[in-house]
Amino acid sequence: MMPDLGKYGAEVLSAYGATIALLAVLVWASWVRARRVRAALEEAEARRKDAEG
Amino acid sequence: MRVEDLGCQRGGVPVLEGVSFTLAAGEALALRGPNGSGKTTLLRTIAGLQPPAGGRIELAEDSVAYGAHADGLKATLTVAENLAFWAAIHACDKVSEALEAFELRPLATRPAQKLSAGQKRRLGLARLLVTGRPLWLLDEPTVSLDADSVGLFGRAVRAHLSAGGAALIATHTDLGLEARVLDVTAFAATGGPAPGGFAEAFA
Amino acid sequence: MSALLLRDLKLAVRAGGGFGLGLAFFLIVTVLVPFGVGPDSGLLARIAPGILWVGALLACLLSLDRIFQLDWEDGSLELLATAPIPMEGVVLMKALAHWLSSALPLVLAAPVLGVLLNLPTAGYGWLMLSLALGTPALSMIGTFGAALTVGLKRGGLLLSLLVLPLYVPTLIFGTEAARRGAEGLANATPLLMLAGITAGVTALLPFAAAAVIRVNLR
Amino acid sequence: MSIWEYANPRRFMGWSAPLVPLFSALAALLIALGLVWGFFFTPEDYRMGSTVKIIYIHVPSAMMAINIWVMMLVASLIWLVRRHHVSALAAKAAAPIGVVMTLIALITGAIWGQPMWGTWWAWDPRLTSFLILFLFYLGYMALWAAIEDPDTAADLTGMLCLVGSVFAVLSRYAVNFWNQGLHQGATLSLDAEENISDVFWLPLLVCMAGFGVLFAALVLLRTRTEIRLRRLHVLEARDRTGRKGSGEG
């Protein structure tokens, strides 16, 4: 299954690991922020509707 | 000058709308309204410091002298040097008249940092004279002035008007001027659409 | 416009901080380097042009946030915006005043500090020439950065962060010109590039900086 | 209907909503495919050994680091000229993605450099240019964060992006002049196609497409967040003025 990476195994694996970790953090942060802002906005719109209605 | 259906905004929020008035040479117009009602915003918009949200301002180019809350004085320069600088910027040589008009002659060689608040204010107002501009836009000009100085200021404005100038003054004190009054609260924005389409609801 | 230049110079002289502080900083940086890298005069001679350029650049940076900040605080900038001189002219005069009061003293002091770093004899002229050609670009770029951060309460650190990357090309060509001159190599290309940067920056950045100031005054 | 209509916030929210999950899925698929293909099913280079596999992340991220800055420049120009708020917000939304891409390019470059050049970091022109680009991204984001008024922030960061782009190109040129470089790009770069066989090319292409689509998905998601934030601020401002008005009246 695992290919033989030879003497550079550590380098290749750490490069892939670092990349995947950074991308995961970016996606996760974007996602969490999107959800938080979305919830806050929905709440604000609902409050506004209450105030008007 | 002539203002038609002018809208003003502060920090992207509409403050005034539908402001219309005319101001002819020799006339003064007093702006009234509580704090935060948009007097400063209106003056700044007419002075060209911020873009109008709508409407038109008809005004000869380079005709405005703006007197803000801050006087634009340099603490380490003397009274005369401060005035001479603004005179040079506006290519105008009325420094000594300005010193006379606000009784600053005895203070001419004193650095601005050693003036009292009222004296600084007088110097700030004297700056208007060395601009040589016909339209004065004044924002609370009499703050920290005593009764005598207010009298001096009133005289200076009257002299300016009789020389064919005009003035738009946001103030709470009576300057003893024949001035029409414009109450800016009448033009308070009713929360029209915010710019950029963010006023529309979306999911 | 010359009135503005004269006023700014007068203010710099009266405040006293202007050249004094920048020069002292330049001196200290230069003195600290041998403590850091060791007293080997051969090594110092080799790195002297670079150290002096970096030192001058950092000393320039120190006074950038004063370019517009004081005028902003006391309302002068607003009044200048309504004055009959174009904002582009104000920006250019501000940059020139900064160069005369902050950068020119550094250019003149650089050879003295070169002695401390064993700068080769051939290098003095080239060092001063490269600094004289390059520092106006530093002042102009810095003025643009100062215009960007003028309305901010703690703009000083941000100003450095914004301006330092913009300084890279000037620094590279400046040190390259001084180093090659000191080593007796041909240095016409970096000198021309340096002059080109200064000319281009002086021609174009006043428009950008003036636009930025107008936005900040809104 | 003019193309600019798509930049109206409400319309943008409308058309971008279905694209985010679509692009996300596509990006996940492409990146997974490209990386698995590259990692497990490509041979080693006869000179670089298995380190050649780093190319499947290094090159796409480096490419995106530059492309994202160009996209921010275009978006800033559209904002400065046509005053479309969504455009400015898209530029703001793209910057953090650009930072991460630049960081990935730098880190993988350093990791690659260790066995190849025998050092983590070399002041090679390309690496140095990316370091400078990284600083530009940081400055740009710091300026956005520092200014309160959103339109002022958009204007100032737009101008910074414009001026910064000129200086970024100038820096690239200066850095080249300063150090002729030892980047082995030439043995394995896109402009030397004869050196690179299809075995390496195809998974690399898949990865580049994957990174591109990932950026598209993220920038849409983040722009939607920024638009919602603006809307939230408008509502809050209205709440404040409304309350003040009723209090006085």
Side-chain angles (χ1 to χ4, degrees):
Chain A
M1 178 63 204
M2 191 70 190
D4 178 23
L5 293 171
K7 57 182 172 168
Y8 300 131
E11 277 87 0
V12 177
L13 284 176
S14 59
Y16 272 72
T19 304
I20 291 168
L22 276 170
L23 286 182
V25 167
L26 175 69
V27 170
W28 178 78
S30 304
W31 177 246
V32 165
R33 190 150 166 275
R35 284 191 52 162
R36 223 182 32 226
V37 171
R38 184 182 186 146
L41 180 61
E42 272 165 9
E43 196 214 350
E45 298 276 11
R47 217 173 13 180
R48 181 159 163 268
K49 237 176 230 143
D50 288 347
E52 279 174 4
Chain B
M1 74 164 289
R2 200 178 147 85
V3 166
E4 241 177 83
D5 195 27
L6 183 69
C8 302
Q9 52 184 16
R10 183 175 48 213
V13 181
V15 183
L16 298 173
E17 59 190 21
V19 182
S20 300
F21 62 86
T22 55
L23 189 60
E27 276 187 331
L29 185 61
L31 296 178
R32 291 281 155 85
N35 294 336
S37 60
K39 299 190 296 291
T40 300
T41 308
L42 177 60
L43 288 176
R44 284 176 55 86
T45 306
I46 295 174
L49 288 169
Q50 49 191 64
R56 266 214 317 275
I57 305 170
E58 284 170 26
L59 191 62
E61 208 177 318
D62 280 348
S63 60
V64 164
Y66 178 48
H69 291 290
D71 293 316
L73 302 177
K74 289 295 166 193
T76 50
L77 296 186
T78 67
V79 169
E81 281 171 333
N82 267 304
L83 274 182
F85 165 66
W86 288 110
I89 289 289
H90 286 90
C92 175
D93 54 354
K94 294 193 189 143
V95 176
S96 62
E97 283 127 86
L99 285 173
E100 286 307 332
F102 285 89
E103 292 180 0
L104 290 163
R105 179 75 70 193
L107 304 171
T109 56
R110 195 184 287 190
Q113 62 196 348
K114 297 208 174 116
L115 298 179
S116 72
Q119 289 167 333
K120 272 187 197 156
R121 195 69 212 171
R122 260 152 65 196
L123 177 53
L125 293 171
R127 189 189 61 81
L128 294 168
L129 289 174
V130 302
T131 60
R133 296 271 176 95
L135 175 62
W136 288 3
L137 303 175
L138 304 176
D139 199 355
E140 304 287 359
T142 52
V143 167
S144 69
L145 288 185
D146 58 20
D148 289 349
S149 305
V150 172
L152 280 179
F153 171 61
R155 212 167 64 210
V157 174
R158 272 195 299 279
H160 178 61
L161 296 181
S162 61
L168 190 58
I169 308 170
T171 184
H172 293 289
T173 43
D174 183 29
L175 300 171
L177 291 171
E178 293 282 314
R180 286 181 295 139
V181 170
L182 186 76
D183 190 350
V184 296
T185 47
F187 305 112
T190 49
F198 293 104
E200 294 176 75
F202 43 73
Chain C
M1 283 202 282
S2 59
L4 182 59
L5 179 64
L6 287 177
R7 181 196 70 158
D8 276 8
L9 291 178
K10 205 186 278 179
L11 288 174
V13 171
R14 294 214 182 145
F19 2 79
L21 216 62
L23 272 179
F25 182 82
F26 192 24
L27 173 71
I28 288 170
V29 167
T30 317
V31 169
L32 283 180
V33 168
F35 293 136
V37 303
D40 171 15
S41 56
L43 174 65
L44 286 177
R46 248 178 346 111
I47 62 173
I51 300 303
L52 291 171
W53 251 93
V54 171
L57 184 146
L58 293 177
C60 250
L61 202 62
L62 274 187
S63 47
L64 285 183
D65 62 338
R66 294 168 59 96
I67 294 182
F68 290 116
Q69 199 64 42
L70 298 176
D71 278 351
W72 164 270
E73 279 162 10
D74 67 19
S76 306
L77 201 55
E78 223 167 47
L79 299 178
L80 282 171
T82 62
I85 53 176
M87 193 44 93
E88 285 79 6
V90 171
V91 168
L92 203 56
M93 286 303 122
K94 286 278 174 188
L96 185 57
H98 176 264
W99 185 72
L100 286 173
S101 64
S102 297
L104 189 59
L106 301 175
V107 178
L108 298 176
V112 181
L113 300 179
V115 175
L116 293 178
L117 294 177
N118 300 85
L119 184 70
T121 325
Y124 287 93
W126 293 118
L127 177 71
M128 281 188 77
L129 180 64
S130 66
L131 280 173
L133 275 177
T135 44
L138 299 184
S139 289
M140 194 60 240
I141 297 167
T143 307
F144 171 71
L148 276 175
T149 54
V150 68
L152 302 172
K153 275 173 210 81
R154 266 186 293 280
L157 198 60
L158 180 61
L159 175 58
S160 312
L161 180 60
L162 297 182
V163 163
L164 283 176
L166 300 177
Y167 274 176
V168 169
T170 318
L171 176 66
I172 286 178
F173 288 121
T175 37
E176 222 30 35
R179 187 182 61 81
R180 291 188 185 190
E183 290 171 7
L185 304 169
N187 62 354
T189 317
L191 274 178
L192 281 176
M193 285 306 296
L194 200 59
I197 290 177
T198 298
V201 147
T202 319
L204 297 176
L205 273 188
F207 295 98
V212 161
I213 291 271
R214 282 191 212 105
V215 169
N216 263 325
L217 282 175
R218 256 193 340 229
Chain D
M1 192 178 76
S2 136
I3 185 173
W4 301 111
E5 289 282 307
Y6 290 104
N8 168 282
R10 197 169 58 85
R11 298 196 77 100
F12 179 89
M13 296 302 277
W15 67 254
S16 65
L19 290 184
V20 175
L22 182 71
F23 283 174
S24 304
L26 194 58
L29 194 73
L30 283 172
I31 290 180
L33 175 68
L35 289 188
V36 168
W37 187 351
F39 189 81
F40 293 102
F41 303 107
T42 55
E44 298 185 359
D45 184 77
Y46 69 99
R47 270 168 52 202
M48 292 189 268
S50 61
T51 60
V52 74
K53 293 181 194 299
I54 296 179
I55 198 178
Y56 305 113
I57 44 184
H58 181 69
V59 170
S61 60
M63 193 185 77
M64 288 315 291
I66 295 169
N67 287 357
I68 291 173
W69 184 273
V70 174
M71 172 260 166
M72 281 162 53
L73 172 64
V74 172
S76 300
L77 277 173
I78 292 176
W79 157 251
L80 290 174
V81 177
R82 309 255 342 192
R83 315 297 294 173
H84 284 294
H85 287 75
V86 172
S87 184
L89 294 179
K92 181 186 184 186
I97 313 174
V99 168
V100 172
M101 290 297 172
T102 318
L103 204 56
I104 292 175
L106 283 173
I107 291 176
T108 54
I111 293 175
W112 203 350
Q114 168 59 19
M116 290 300 106
W117 309 330
T119 171
W120 293 106
W121 183 263
W123 289 94
D124 160 82
R126 282 205 210 183
L127 273 181
T128 312
S129 302
F130 271 85
L131 191 61
I132 297 169
L133 184 64
F134 185 65
L135 296 178
F136 273 108
Y137 273 120
L138 288 188
Y140 179 86
M141 285 166 59
L143 191 61
W144 260 112
I147 304 167
E148 245 169 70
D149 180 71
D151 280 1
T152 307
D155 277 333
L156 298 187
T157 52
M159 288 300 292
L160 177 67
C161 185
L162 211 66
V163 173
S165 303
V166 176
F167 276 88
V169 173
L170 202 59
S171 300
R172 181 81 183 86
Y173 188 79
V175 165
N176 252 339
F177 174 83
W178 164 75
N179 186 345
Q180 303 306 328
L182 41 79
H183 211 101
Q184 69 237 62
T187 57
L188 248 180
S189 82
L190 305 181
D191 45 278
E193 271 174 62
E194 67 273 19
N195 283 331
I196 182 166
S197 63
D198 286 351
V199 194
F200 299 117
W201 240 123
L202 288 174
L204 180 57
L205 271 182
V206 173
C207 278
M208 292 200 290
F211 272 64
V213 180
L214 174 68
F215 166 68
L218 280 174
V219 83
L220 285 179
L221 176 69
R222 298 182 64 94
T223 309
R224 288 167 63 81
T225 305
E226 296 294 339
I227 291 175
R228 288 200 171 103
L229 267 179
R230 284 296 299 266
R231 170 74 181 152
L232 200 56
H233 287 164
V234 169
L235 287 181
E236 277 168 2
R238 198 169 285 174
D239 266 9
R240 267 200 308 276
T241 50
R243 213 170 293 143
K244 206 177 87 187
S246 60
E248 280 170 4

